[in-house]
Structure formats: C-alpha cells, structure tokens
Amino acid sequence: ESVLEIALRHDIPLEHNCGGNCACTTCHVVVKGGMENLSEMEDEEDDMLDKAKGLTLTSRLGCQTHVYGDVIVEIPKK
Ligand code: FES
C-alpha cells in the first residue's frame, strides 16, 4: 500500500488532487523515520517532487511511496 492509501484508510486527510497519479504535489509528505521501509523513488516522482512547496531531503509523494514496514511521516502544512 502507498502512504496515501494508508492515510485515507485511517481517515487521515492527505490531499490527493490528481487522484494518486503523480501529477500534482498535494500528497507531499516528509519522512521522519523508517526511510528504509519505503519503496525507491522513481524518476517521475523525483521530477514532480521538485515542484512541492517546502521540499526537504526526506520529502516523498504519498501516492508514489509504498510502505513495507514501520515509518513515520509528517504532512506539511499547506
Ligand atoms: Fe497527486 Fe500524489 S496525489 S501526486
């Protein structure tokens, strides 16, 4: 499952204006822990992420990031 799917399943409001198609940056999250339990970043995500407001070194797009273990992510203020 992606960070976005997990968030929505738990009623955590993570915006996803493009419907999880890697075509916006509204699902931007900042990874605070467990980076090793996330899928590798694809070029498409990397390119789109460059447009995210408040980009950090551990930023990811929630819809493109698959989770394989415990992780801590923060949803930045819009
Ligand atoms: Fe648009 Fe993730 S929901 S890029």
Side-chain angles (χ1 to χ4, degrees), residues 3-75:
V3 170
L4 175 63
E5 288 165 331
I6 293 169
L8 297 181
R9 192 156 49 78
H10 290 91
D11 296 322
I12 297 165
L14 179 55
E15 285 182 45
H16 49 288
N17 288 0
C18 76
N21 288 305
C22 200
C24 71
T25 60
T26 55
C27 65
H28 173 208
V29 295
V30 176
V31 180
K32 297 288 185 179
M35 190 66 106
E36 67 281 4
N37 290 327
L38 297 174
S39 58
E40 296 277 317
M41 193 183 299
E42 306 279 338
D43 290 348
E44 219 182 10
E45 179 187 356
D46 205 1
D47 290 346
M48 188 53 65
L49 201 51
D50 281 341
K51 301 179 184 140
K53 215 172 93 183
L55 187 66
T56 74
L57 286 173
T58 61
S59 288
R60 297 293 304 262
L61 289 179
C63 70
Q64 300 301 305
T65 308
H66 288 262
V67 179
Y68 302 109
D70 290 342
V71 296
I72 301 167
V73 301
E74 188 177 271
I75 301 172

